[in-house]
Amino acid sequence: MDLTGTLAIVTGAASGLGKATARLLAERGAQLALIDLQPEGMADLARETGALSLSCDVADAAASEAAFDRIVAVCGVPRLLVNCAGIAPGARIVDRGGPGSLVEFERIVRINLIGTYNWLRLAAAAMTGNAPDAEGQRGVIINTASIAAYEGQIGQAAYAASKGGVASLTLPAARELARHGIRVAAIAPGLFGTPMVEAMTQEVQDRVFDAIPFPKRPGRPDEFAQMVLSIVANPMVNGSVFRLDAGLRMLAR
């Protein structure tokens, strides 16, 4: 897919993986629509790139539909959606001798999984009306899973469940949307230098980073963005979840 002049929506664009992805897409000529609940983080990027930025809870159906309609009215129909919005708090199943918070479990699943599906469904429905390119493509949707989907640590039951849902969504979504010429893939990053990872204590960071085979460091957000470009560029990529983790296999704690 040629990104020049192509409308790309990036959720979670105020920081971390989403912001790096949006910046690289803009450098490659894409037109941008940025979505995040924190408008302050999108402001500088919107000024840099001329992007449309909208504050929105990705898991809120009505708010998301209104935001999506605004994007279409101002910018047109997207050909690319990159879902990066997400949270990664710890949430124990048994907490201080009692059952963990169901409210917190629901919040994590709501943002990470339901929010991803919500924007996937909106983008896919709109993309079906796009004219196909030379490969027959009408759109590409890239979601963000996590290696926690496969090796969730203690305290990550909710996060792992939410990201496992994103991973499991990939193939059936790709199969369903194939007849419309829409590809679906997901990236499962390991430890990246984002606000989520930086919120860990230094002790935890040192222990976890030491377990990374090579390169022995957290990933850079621009390396995630490069993976997005690779998926967009290669029409054979469809229905797969790609680990981006420097060979890391997470231990129980």
Side-chain angles (χ1 to χ4, degrees), residues 28 44 56 61 67 69-70 116 121 138 213 221 231 246 251:
R28 297 303 172 91
D44 59 339
C56 177
D69 287 347
R70 173 71 174 159
T116 294
R121 73 183 180 96
R138 289 185 170 88
I231 292 171
L251 301 176

Side-chain angles (χ1 to χ4, degrees), residues 7 9 31 68 70-78 130:
L7 177 60
I9 299 175
Q31 180 187 8
F68 193 88
R70 173 71 174 159
I71 291 169
V72 172
V74 173
C75 305
V77 176
N130 284 335

Side-chain angles (χ1 to χ4, degrees), residues 27-163:
E27 289 175 4
R28 297 303 172 91
Q31 180 187 8
L32 291 177
L34 311 176
I35 298 293
D36 203 291
L37 201 53
Q38 307 299 327
E40 301 82 7
M42 297 185 289
D44 59 339
L45 186 58
R47 283 192 298 269
E48 283 176 34
T49 62
L52 173 67
S53 62
L54 298 170
S55 178
C56 177
D57 175 354
V58 293
D60 183 311
S64 293
E65 288 165 13
F68 193 88
D69 287 347
R70 173 71 174 159
I71 291 169
V72 172
V74 173
C75 305
V77 176
R79 284 188 176 268
L80 174 62
L81 167 68
V82 186
N83 272 316
C84 291
I87 58 173
R92 294 261 181 169
I93 298 169
V94 177
D95 186 17
R96 295 179 183 173
S101 169
L102 185 60
V103 171
E104 183 66 355
F105 184 94
E106 183 179 20
R107 183 176 79 94
I108 294 167
V109 171
R110 178 179 179 274
I111 295 170
N112 292 352
L113 178 56
I114 295 176
T116 294
Y117 178 80
N118 189 25
W119 278 79
L120 180 150
R121 73 183 180 96
L122 295 174
M127 288 174 180
T128 61
N130 284 335
D133 66 10
E135 287 281 354
Q137 298 180 105
R138 289 185 170 88
V140 179
I141 297 171
I142 302 171
N143 298 324
T144 303
S146 167
I147 63 170
Y150 311 105
E151 299 120 29
Q153 295 186 298
I154 292 170
Q156 284 190 320
Y159 180 68
S162 69
K163 292 301 187 176

Side-chain angles (χ1 to χ4, degrees), residues 167-189:
S168 295
L169 174 64
T170 306
L171 182 58
R175 285 172 164 169
E176 180 178 338
L177 298 176
R179 68 189 182 94
H180 299 294
I182 299 169
R183 293 191 285 123
V184 183
I187 302 171

